[in-house]
Amino acid sequence: MKIYIHEGPGHYVGSVVIVTANNYDDARDIISRRLDDMGLEKENLSIIEKDIIDGQIVFCSSGDY
């Protein structure tokens, strides 16, 4: 299992989708469906693959701009 991360322009401040999947094709399908559900069906996919490491922080945001 790996982590797949998509970052794109989104609607206003950017989109981020992080999923776990067994392979790139499964991750692409999951991310594409989620983007479609959010009205971002025309957003180009930009997916990176990461190994899962125990104790790893996957996403962290303080909300401070």
Side-chain angles (χ1 to χ4, degrees):
M1 180 102 25
K2 294 185 182 260
I3 294 174
Y4 296 86
I5 304 165
H6 161 79
E7 293 183 84
H11 289 292
Y12 302 105
V13 296
S15 64
V16 176
V17 182
I18 301 172
V19 303
T20 58
N22 289 319
N23 58 62
Y24 182 89
D25 292 334
D26 289 347
R28 184 192 62 229
D29 292 344
I30 295 165
I31 292 168
S32 291
R33 282 194 306 270
R34 179 56 54 155
L35 291 173
D36 290 353
D37 291 346
M38 295 187 299
L40 296 169
E41 59 277 339
K42 294 184 180 180
E43 186 164 291
N44 291 328
L45 293 179
S46 175
I47 301 172
I48 59 169
E49 177 183 287
K50 298 277 190 177
D51 290 323
I52 294 175
I53 301 169
D54 190 36
Q56 174 185 8
I57 294 174
V58 175
F59 178 79
C60 181
S61 173
S62 70
D64 187 9
Y65 296 104

